[in-house]
Amino acid sequence: MTEAITEWQDRLARCRGVLVDSNVLLDVATSDPGWGDWSARTLAEAAEYTTLVINPIIYAEVSIAYTTIEALDAALPEALYRRDPLPWEAGFLAGKSFLRYRRRGGLRTSPLPDFYIGAHAAVRGLALLTRDASRYRSYFPTVEILAPAGRLI
């Protein structure tokens, strides 16, 4: 068991599942030399303690690593990844979080997928497994962020 998951067991018990960010899934799909092992181990261990969840935005982002929908579906089997729709409330929260981002000097002109992903986790009481924790922590402070210690993007 990784050191990180040992600390997460109690935190995971308070959540309704773990929304898995696309960066973790893409690390595994592409055998990323810097993150592939960490992402694969952490994902497997998280699955032992709670339900793994994806949404249509994560599904779309991960699809870039696959040439067919069948290959993507084989990599993200419904038996392992619960597929949740994006809640309407998450759209509202994503918009408000994006507005704060813009007011703080953010340059993007349309809401980033990360805002929808973070809002989905916040609205549904999901933890978020990611290795890009900074934006989520800044804009979604109520979300339980599961990220590598010390080595963030």
Side-chain angles (χ1 to χ4, degrees):
M1 179 177 303
T2 66
E3 184 177 314
I5 288 292
T6 302
E7 299 170 11
W8 296 350
Q9 289 179 38
D10 291 335
R11 294 162 56 191
L12 290 173
R14 295 189 300 262
C15 299
R16 295 180 175 172
V18 172
L19 191 61
V20 182
D21 200 0
S22 55
N23 57 32
V24 172
L25 296 168
L26 286 168
D27 289 344
V28 175
T30 63
S31 299
D32 183 271
W35 288 104
D37 288 342
W38 181 89
S39 291
R41 278 193 323 272
T42 304
L43 193 56
E45 292 175 17
E48 290 182 31
Y49 299 104
T50 192
T51 303
L52 302 178
V53 181
I54 60 172
N55 65 29
I57 294 168
I58 294 165
Y59 185 87
E61 289 182 326
V62 174
S63 75
I64 66 169
Y66 299 91
T67 57
T68 66
I69 194 169
E70 293 80 11
L72 176 60
D73 286 342
L76 300 174
E78 291 185 57
L80 183 57
Y81 297 94
R82 187 177 78 211
R83 296 176 181 200
D84 281 0
L86 187 65
W88 287 99
E89 299 87 353
F92 181 83
L93 180 56
K96 295 303 178 190
S97 297
F98 179 73
L99 181 60
R100 279 193 327 218
Y101 161 81
R102 291 285 294 163
R103 288 181 175 159
R104 291 179 179 175
L107 300 176
R108 306 259 178 150
T109 58
S110 64
L112 302 168
D114 290 352
F115 286 102
Y116 292 108
I117 292 167
H120 184 176
V123 166
R124 291 292 188 242
L126 300 168
L128 178 60
L129 176 57
T130 185
R131 51 179 181 74
D132 187 12
S134 60
R135 179 175 293 132
Y136 294 117
R137 284 193 175 117
S138 294
Y139 294 98
F140 303 98
T142 63
V143 172
E144 185 70 57
I145 304 294
L146 308 174
R151 188 177 155 203
L152 302 179
I153 294 176

